[in-house]
Amino acid sequence: NLTRRRFVQTAAIGAAALSLPTLSRAATPVLRLSSTMTSDENSAHYLFYQRFAENLKQSLGDKVRIDFFANGQLGKEADVVQQVRLGSIDMMVTGSSIWATALPELALLDLGFLFDSYAHVAKAVDSGVGEIYNKLLQERTGCSVIGWGSHFSARSVYTKPPIKDLATLKNVKLRVLPTQAFIETFKLMGAIPTPIAFNEVYTAVQTGVVEGFEHDAASVLANKLDEVVRNSWQTNHLFSPCIAVIGKRGLAKIPADLQPAFIAAARDASIHQRAAAKIKGAEAIAALTKGGMTFFPMSDAERENTRQLMREKLWVPFTQTNPVTAPVLAAIDAARG
């Protein structure tokens, strides 16, 4: 009996000892953050992560950790969106466009000439647009937008022949993102929009499949696309937001009392990232200019006429089809100027 009691006591102590490491590991949530960009300061995504991680370290110490997975290590963006919804990936930082696959109303932000600058985007999302979309995303998917940042520069037209206005853009074959918003925008502008995968753009321009493309200066520079085009018409037709989204299960990993500090860390990271992105965008345009790229500004008159055309043909019809976005457009207009 004495031997049996000692065995039971030893087994109980052993079981308790085995349970301790499990409790210790659970005390520090580790969240995986996915990105398709590089893990350096030439990445808009990484600039957000870097500041976010620093903020968490400062405010929460080792209570929450974020691990950054760059270069699409965790999969293609469309697949990662689904994984964040399911909870197998905790978070992702990306352009807002890809989340329109889960929340179609987000496609409003991709309509041509909707924003005048990244300062306009920031003012709009901070004064109501961000919260409207966050509530819609939570209702629809359970996910939350915890950060609204910027890419390095607006998207403009880059071509082999010099394009300086709508007249010279007419009937030009232009590579665009394979989304309806981009296709319709450039149809209205008189071009022949041609959807092509981004990794095929260099060859498509080089071989004459298209005469150019629309993109941002930093991406043109990073992917050496200035080797195949030497002119840019600065349409600045799209100021695409950069967003950080966390899934319901990812957020649930963080103890409730730590969540306010977590959200505040992401908010500060967004503000910091916007300022850094503006500098990076200016640097990219300066580098392209130094390398021989010729930039042509879009006239104020053409910009205003094109904006009114987009409002009539794209913006308003979109809000009529998706009534919940009418307050979004109103907030964007109110933030203008």
Side-chain angles (χ1 to χ4, degrees):
N1 288 340
L2 180 60
T3 302
R4 189 172 185 279
R5 282 199 302 271
R6 284 175 177 171
F7 174 79
V8 171
Q9 288 170 350
T10 302
I13 293 170
L18 286 172
S19 69
L20 288 176
T22 303
L23 292 172
S24 176
R25 282 196 298 270
T28 304
V30 179
L31 279 70
R32 298 194 302 165
L33 174 62
S34 176
S35 165
T36 55
M37 291 186 174
T38 55
S39 55
D40 56 50
E41 294 190 356
N42 292 317
S43 159
H45 298 176
Y46 184 76
L47 291 180
F48 170 82
Y49 159 73
Q50 189 177 44
R51 180 71 170 214
F52 188 26
E54 289 172 0
N55 288 347
L56 289 176
K57 185 72 174 177
Q58 186 173 17
S59 61
L60 297 177
D62 295 324
K63 294 178 181 178
V64 177
R65 195 180 88 219
I66 305 290
D67 287 347
F68 188 70
F69 291 83
N71 298 313
Q73 293 176 62
L74 301 184
K76 297 178 181 179
E77 282 191 314
D79 295 332
V80 173
V81 166
Q82 297 306 316
Q83 296 305 312
V84 171
R85 293 180 67 174
L86 293 171
S88 52
I89 296 173
D90 302 299
M91 302 173 61
M92 73 183 296
V93 56
T94 181
S96 60
S97 305
I98 193 65
W99 273 90
T101 57
L103 184 66
E105 290 86 349
L106 268 171
L108 174 69
L109 304 184
D110 283 339
L111 299 183
F113 297 88
L114 185 67
F115 293 107
D116 301 332
S117 65
Y118 270 120
H120 182 199
V121 176
K123 186 176 179 181
V125 299
D126 291 346
S127 61
V129 169
E131 190 52 36
I132 291 171
Y133 276 127
N134 187 36
K135 286 182 178 178
L136 285 172
L137 193 66
Q138 287 175 342
E139 291 169 4
R140 204 78 56 82
T141 69
C143 300
S144 303
V145 184
I146 60 170
W148 290 85
S150 304
H151 287 102
F152 285 171
S153 51
R155 296 177 80 102
S156 286
V157 172
Y158 291 83
T159 51
K160 278 184 174 180
I163 303 296
K164 305 179 182 181
D165 50 29
L166 288 170
T168 49
L169 181 67
K170 190 171 179 61
N171 293 327
V172 171
K173 291 188 73 175
L174 209 64
R175 180 270 174 179
V176 300
L177 272 175
T179 70
Q180 201 61 32
F182 281 80
I183 293 168
E184 293 303 321
T185 292
F186 281 94
K187 275 185 180 177
L188 288 171
M189 292 174 71
I192 301 174
T194 309
I196 295 174
F198 182 67
N199 61 0
E200 299 172 9
V201 172
Y202 190 108
T203 303
V205 178
Q206 190 177 45
T207 58
V209 173
V210 292
E211 295 173 78
F213 53 86
E214 58 78 41
H215 224 295
D216 65 275
S219 294
V220 172
L221 186 65
N223 292 278
K224 300 183 179 180
L225 294 173
D226 54 318
E227 293 177 356
V228 291
V229 296
R230 304 302 287 168
N231 299 284
S232 175
W233 184 31
Q234 290 291 278
T235 51
N236 293 333
H237 54 271
L238 181 66
F239 293 87
S240 177
C242 177
I243 62 173
V245 179
I246 187 168
K248 187 175 182 179
R249 289 185 179 181
L251 189 59
K253 290 182 179 181
I254 304 166
D257 61 322
L258 303 183
Q259 288 185 14
F262 182 84
I263 299 299
R267 168 65 179 161
D268 175 82
S270 296
I271 294 171
H272 173 80
Q273 190 266 1
R274 294 171 191 171
K278 183 178 180 180
I279 295 170
K280 290 287 186 180
E283 289 174 350
I285 290 175
L288 288 173
T289 302
K290 186 177 179 180
M293 181 79 71
T294 301
F295 288 91
F296 302 100
M298 188 179 196
S299 72
D300 291 342
E302 279 205 321
R303 183 174 301 280
E304 183 56 32
N305 289 339
T306 304
R307 181 187 293 121
Q308 292 307 320
L309 178 65
M310 297 297 164
R311 180 184 295 278
E312 178 187 347
K313 300 294 186 180
L314 290 184
W315 307 355
V316 172
F318 187 93
T319 61
Q320 290 171 341
T321 304
N322 304 275
V324 73
T325 62
V328 175
L329 181 56
I332 290 170
D333 281 335
R336 200 179 302 281

